[in-house]
Amino acid sequence: VSHLRAPLAGVKRLDVVSSMSGAVPGVRLADVPFDAVSGEVVVIPSPAWLKSLPACTIEMRLLAVDGAEETPIGEYTFNHEPSPAAASR
C-alpha cells in the first residue's frame, strides 16, 4: 500500500502513469479516486503482481487532467526487491 502525497486542491480528474525500469509505454490509470482535502492518493497494487516482479524500479506520475490539458503534480520512485521467499522458488 502506498500513500502518495500531492497538491490536489482544485484537481478535477487525476490520472496515474506507472512504468517499470524504463518500460515503454507505461500503464495509464484514468480517473483515479483521490482525497483532495488530505492531499493523498492511495495505491494498492495486486500482491500477486508484486510477487511476480523481479528486482526493478517502478515510477509513478500523477497528472491533473482538465479537458485536453494535463499538469504533472507528483513523481514517485519505488525500488522493488522480491522477498527472499519468492526468490527461492
Side-chain angles (χ1 to χ4, degrees):
V1 176
S2 300
H3 296 260
L4 309 179
R5 301 245 180 236
L8 298 169
V11 172
K12 296 176 182 164
R13 182 181 126 190
L14 185 71
D15 288 4
V16 177
V17 178
S18 177
S19 60
M20 280 192 308
S21 302
V24 177
V27 174
R28 185 178 188 123
L29 304 171
D31 204 8
V32 173
F34 62 94
D35 183 347
V37 174
S38 70
E40 183 174 73
V41 180
V42 178
V43 179
I44 306 173
S46 159
W49 175 73
L50 285 174
K51 288 178 183 179
S52 74
L53 295 177
C56 63
T57 300
I58 301 169
E59 297 172 348
M60 289 188 180
R61 292 184 337 142
L62 301 183
L63 301 171
V65 180
D66 189 4
E69 189 174 321
E70 297 180 347
T71 305
I73 59 170
E75 294 187 14
Y76 311 85
T77 301
F78 300 89
N79 295 311
H80 174 76
E81 293 288 333
S83 70
S88 67
R89 288 184 219 167

